[in-house]
Amino acid sequence: MRRGFVGAWWHPWFVEISELVDQVEQQGKAMAAAAERAGLEADVPTCPRWRVRNLVEHTGKVHRWAATYVRDGRSAFGGGSPKLEKPPAQGTIGWFVEGHAALVAALRAAPPDLDTWSFLPAPSPLAFWARRQAHETAIHRADADAATGAVPEYEPAFAADGIGELLGGFYSRRGGRLLADPPCSLRVLPDTGPGWHVRIRPVGRQVSNDAGEPADCTVRGAASDLYLLLWNRDPAGPVEVDGDQGVLRIWRERATVKWS
């Protein structure tokens, strides 16, 4: 992990592309194992109305969709944007494993100057796809674990990077349901280093690196636990909450992510 790439999206954390690809591989394997343990018909408590089958099918489709952009670059647009592939009726986990391996291989084979579409700011399209798929897979791995009552713990630098992507990437954009009138603010302070300050307004949000400015609500804890909390999953360990708990209620009710 290299520190020092400062920006709203990457914050002061920059996890090397190769490390992000390693996380795509690690988290995907862990997700497949968790799905096997739970069984495809088990409920996923973190994704209401979904069973493990739905979770595995969704993530498998995303992996194939992402791999098309990484593997084919600009030519992925030849017939319009790639479609999410329909999974087979049987062999769902094997299908997931195959698509996941193809994504990892595509990321590892891609040139540093890959020219393809992306939808969040990043140092390069390859950095974007490695980061997005690492965190997509990691959070859905947590969903698969939840089907058996387990909660994963992530490497601190990777978890902090995921918080940075969520806050500085998704919630620095316009649109979405995460709004508040009157406005409110949230400080996020992981034990790994610098944190974030999020201002939730009637018409949008402002995310900045934490400079010690007070907020209506402050959450402190291990980066892994805050990563899960902010993705509206239950953390493994305790999170300290100071101030107005209503800010967290707003977050839980309205913080939903769309890809693009």
mmCIF file of all heavy atoms in Angstrom, residues 40-58:
data_model
loop_
_atom_site.group_PDB
_atom_site.id
_atom_site.type_symbol
_atom_site.label_atom_id
_atom_site.label_comp_id
_atom_site.label_asym_id
_atom_site.label_seq_id
_atom_site.Cartn_x
_atom_site.Cartn_y
_atom_site.Cartn_z
ATOM 1 N N LEU A 40 -27.574 -22.368 -1.622
ATOM 2 C CA LEU A 40 -28.145 -21.354 -2.504
ATOM 3 C C LEU A 40 -29.537 -20.886 -2.089
ATOM 4 O O LEU A 40 -29.956 -19.789 -2.468
ATOM 5 C CB LEU A 40 -28.199 -21.884 -3.938
ATOM 6 C CG LEU A 40 -26.845 -22.067 -4.628
ATOM 7 C CD1 LEU A 40 -27.036 -22.711 -6.000
ATOM 8 C CD2 LEU A 40 -26.109 -20.744 -4.762
ATOM 9 N N GLU A 41 -30.235 -21.671 -1.304
ATOM 10 C CA GLU A 41 -31.594 -21.284 -0.918
ATOM 11 C C GLU A 41 -31.651 -20.562 0.425
ATOM 12 O O GLU A 41 -32.741 -20.188 0.882
ATOM 13 C CB GLU A 41 -32.503 -22.514 -0.896
ATOM 14 C CG GLU A 41 -32.592 -23.230 -2.243
ATOM 15 C CD GLU A 41 -32.873 -22.275 -3.400
ATOM 16 O OE1 GLU A 41 -33.801 -21.451 -3.271
ATOM 17 O OE2 GLU A 41 -32.168 -22.357 -4.426
ATOM 18 N N ALA A 42 -30.503 -20.341 1.051
ATOM 19 C CA ALA A 42 -30.481 -19.619 2.329
ATOM 20 C C ALA A 42 -30.819 -18.152 2.124
ATOM 21 O O ALA A 42 -30.469 -17.549 1.105
ATOM 22 C CB ALA A 42 -29.102 -19.757 2.979
ATOM 23 N N ASP A 43 -31.505 -17.561 3.086
ATOM 24 C CA ASP A 43 -31.803 -16.129 3.039
ATOM 25 C C ASP A 43 -30.544 -15.316 3.292
ATOM 26 O O ASP A 43 -29.644 -15.737 4.025
ATOM 27 C CB ASP A 43 -32.855 -15.771 4.083
ATOM 28 C CG ASP A 43 -34.231 -16.320 3.748
ATOM 29 O OD1 ASP A 43 -34.533 -16.476 2.541
ATOM 30 O OD2 ASP A 43 -34.997 -16.607 4.687
ATOM 31 N N VAL A 44 -30.491 -14.124 2.697
ATOM 32 C CA VAL A 44 -29.389 -13.187 2.909
ATOM 33 C C VAL A 44 -29.928 -12.031 3.743
ATOM 34 O O VAL A 44 -30.611 -11.152 3.209
ATOM 35 C CB VAL A 44 -28.818 -12.681 1.569
ATOM 36 C CG1 VAL A 44 -27.660 -11.717 1.815
ATOM 37 C CG2 VAL A 44 -28.363 -13.847 0.698
ATOM 38 N N PRO A 45 -29.666 -11.992 5.043
ATOM 39 C CA PRO A 45 -30.294 -10.971 5.893
ATOM 40 C C PRO A 45 -29.895 -9.538 5.544
ATOM 41 O O PRO A 45 -30.661 -8.610 5.813
ATOM 42 C CB PRO A 45 -29.831 -11.354 7.302
ATOM 43 C CG PRO A 45 -28.654 -12.236 7.115
ATOM 44 C CD PRO A 45 -28.853 -12.945 5.817
ATOM 45 N N THR A 46 -28.737 -9.352 4.943
ATOM 46 C CA THR A 46 -28.286 -8.008 4.588
ATOM 47 C C THR A 46 -28.869 -7.527 3.266
ATOM 48 O O THR A 46 -28.716 -6.348 2.916
ATOM 49 C CB THR A 46 -26.754 -7.977 4.505
ATOM 50 O OG1 THR A 46 -26.319 -9.085 3.688
ATOM 51 C CG2 THR A 46 -26.126 -8.096 5.886
ATOM 52 N N CYS A 47 -29.504 -8.403 2.517
ATOM 53 C CA CYS A 47 -30.143 -8.057 1.239
ATOM 54 C C CYS A 47 -31.573 -8.583 1.268
ATOM 55 O O CYS A 47 -31.835 -9.709 0.809
ATOM 56 C CB CYS A 47 -29.381 -8.663 0.062
ATOM 57 S SG CYS A 47 -27.671 -8.118 -0.101
ATOM 58 N N PRO A 48 -32.503 -7.835 1.834
ATOM 59 C CA PRO A 48 -33.877 -8.322 1.982
ATOM 60 C C PRO A 48 -34.455 -8.839 0.669
ATOM 61 O O PRO A 48 -34.226 -8.266 -0.398
ATOM 62 C CB PRO A 48 -34.623 -7.072 2.467
ATOM 63 C CG PRO A 48 -33.578 -6.244 3.152
ATOM 64 C CD PRO A 48 -32.318 -6.480 2.369
ATOM 65 N N ARG A 49 -35.174 -9.947 0.772
ATOM 66 C CA ARG A 49 -35.845 -10.617 -0.346
ATOM 67 C C ARG A 49 -34.879 -11.381 -1.248
ATOM 68 O O ARG A 49 -35.311 -11.969 -2.239
ATOM 69 C CB ARG A 49 -36.687 -9.631 -1.182
ATOM 70 C CG ARG A 49 -37.821 -8.972 -0.398
ATOM 71 C CD ARG A 49 -38.634 -8.053 -1.265
ATOM 72 N NE ARG A 49 -37.859 -6.959 -1.815
ATOM 73 C CZ ARG A 49 -37.564 -5.849 -1.144
ATOM 74 N NH1 ARG A 49 -37.990 -5.702 0.115
ATOM 75 N NH2 ARG A 49 -36.872 -4.901 -1.711
ATOM 76 N N TRP A 50 -33.598 -11.391 -0.907
ATOM 77 C CA TRP A 50 -32.633 -12.159 -1.695
ATOM 78 C C TRP A 50 -32.278 -13.446 -0.975
ATOM 79 O O TRP A 50 -32.173 -13.474 0.257
ATOM 80 C CB TRP A 50 -31.357 -11.354 -1.924
ATOM 81 C CG TRP A 50 -31.373 -10.555 -3.196
ATOM 82 C CD1 TRP A 50 -32.462 -10.220 -3.934
ATOM 83 C CD2 TRP A 50 -30.232 -9.983 -3.847
ATOM 84 N NE1 TRP A 50 -32.077 -9.465 -5.018
ATOM 85 C CE2 TRP A 50 -30.726 -9.303 -4.995
ATOM 86 C CE3 TRP A 50 -28.880 -9.963 -3.572
ATOM 87 C CZ2 TRP A 50 -29.874 -8.629 -5.865
ATOM 88 C CZ3 TRP A 50 -28.036 -9.290 -4.447
ATOM 89 C CH2 TRP A 50 -28.535 -8.629 -5.581
ATOM 90 N N ARG A 51 -32.068 -14.480 -1.753
ATOM 91 C CA ARG A 51 -31.427 -15.694 -1.269
ATOM 92 C C ARG A 51 -29.990 -15.714 -1.790
ATOM 93 O O ARG A 51 -29.606 -14.897 -2.629
ATOM 94 C CB ARG A 51 -32.203 -16.925 -1.725
ATOM 95 C CG ARG A 51 -33.606 -16.987 -1.121
ATOM 96 C CD ARG A 51 -34.336 -18.260 -1.463
ATOM 97 N NE ARG A 51 -35.644 -18.290 -0.813
ATOM 98 C CZ ARG A 51 -36.485 -19.300 -0.888
ATOM 99 N NH1 ARG A 51 -36.155 -20.391 -1.592
ATOM 100 N NH2 ARG A 51 -37.650 -19.251 -0.276
ATOM 101 N N VAL A 52 -29.205 -16.653 -1.290
ATOM 102 C CA VAL A 52 -27.808 -16.729 -1.719
ATOM 103 C C VAL A 52 -27.715 -16.879 -3.233
ATOM 104 O O VAL A 52 -26.825 -16.326 -3.877
ATOM 105 C CB VAL A 52 -27.085 -17.875 -0.983
ATOM 106 C CG1 VAL A 52 -25.702 -18.133 -1.575
ATOM 107 C CG2 VAL A 52 -26.969 -17.558 0.506
ATOM 108 N N ARG A 53 -28.647 -17.614 -3.817
ATOM 109 C CA ARG A 53 -28.654 -17.762 -5.271
ATOM 110 C C ARG A 53 -28.703 -16.399 -5.967
ATOM 111 O O ARG A 53 -27.948 -16.144 -6.921
ATOM 112 C CB ARG A 53 -29.842 -18.616 -5.707
ATOM 113 C CG ARG A 53 -29.912 -18.825 -7.220
ATOM 114 C CD ARG A 53 -31.156 -19.603 -7.622
ATOM 115 N NE ARG A 53 -31.199 -20.908 -6.984
ATOM 116 C CZ ARG A 53 -30.540 -21.975 -7.441
ATOM 117 N NH1 ARG A 53 -29.784 -21.869 -8.512
ATOM 118 N NH2 ARG A 53 -30.647 -23.125 -6.808
ATOM 119 N N ASN A 54 -29.590 -15.517 -5.514
ATOM 120 C CA ASN A 54 -29.690 -14.185 -6.120
ATOM 121 C C ASN A 54 -28.392 -13.401 -5.980
ATOM 122 O O ASN A 54 -27.958 -12.710 -6.906
ATOM 123 C CB ASN A 54 -30.829 -13.398 -5.477
ATOM 124 C CG ASN A 54 -32.153 -14.116 -5.531
ATOM 125 O OD1 ASN A 54 -32.693 -14.509 -4.501
ATOM 126 N ND2 ASN A 54 -32.699 -14.310 -6.730
ATOM 127 N N LEU A 55 -27.783 -13.510 -4.817
ATOM 128 C CA LEU A 55 -26.537 -12.803 -4.547
ATOM 129 C C LEU A 55 -25.418 -13.279 -5.470
ATOM 130 O O LEU A 55 -24.690 -12.479 -6.066
ATOM 131 C CB LEU A 55 -26.145 -13.016 -3.085
ATOM 132 C CG LEU A 55 -24.824 -12.414 -2.621
ATOM 133 C CD1 LEU A 55 -24.907 -10.898 -2.613
ATOM 134 C CD2 LEU A 55 -24.475 -12.947 -1.233
ATOM 135 N N VAL A 56 -25.282 -14.592 -5.592
ATOM 136 C CA VAL A 56 -24.234 -15.167 -6.431
ATOM 137 C C VAL A 56 -24.482 -14.828 -7.902
ATOM 138 O O VAL A 56 -23.549 -14.478 -8.642
ATOM 139 C CB VAL A 56 -24.160 -16.689 -6.211
ATOM 140 C CG1 VAL A 56 -23.231 -17.350 -7.226
ATOM 141 C CG2 VAL A 56 -23.673 -16.989 -4.794
ATOM 142 N N GLU A 57 -25.735 -14.902 -8.332
ATOM 143 C CA GLU A 57 -26.050 -14.565 -9.722
ATOM 144 C C GLU A 57 -25.752 -13.097 -10.012
ATOM 145 O O GLU A 57 -25.164 -12.764 -11.054
ATOM 146 C CB GLU A 57 -27.512 -14.880 -10.010
ATOM 147 C CG GLU A 57 -27.823 -16.374 -10.052
ATOM 148 C CD GLU A 57 -29.292 -16.660 -10.254
ATOM 149 O OE1 GLU A 57 -30.118 -15.730 -10.136
ATOM 150 O OE2 GLU A 57 -29.617 -17.839 -10.536
ATOM 151 N N HIS A 58 -26.145 -12.223 -9.110
ATOM 152 C CA HIS A 58 -25.892 -10.789 -9.305
ATOM 153 C C HIS A 58 -24.393 -10.512 -9.423
ATOM 154 O O HIS A 58 -23.950 -9.860 -10.380
ATOM 155 C CB HIS A 58 -26.475 -10.000 -8.136
ATOM 156 C CG HIS A 58 -25.939 -8.604 -8.039
ATOM 157 N ND1 HIS A 58 -26.371 -7.572 -8.849
ATOM 158 C CD2 HIS A 58 -24.964 -8.074 -7.231
ATOM 159 C CE1 HIS A 58 -25.714 -6.471 -8.544
ATOM 160 N NE2 HIS A 58 -24.855 -6.744 -7.574
#
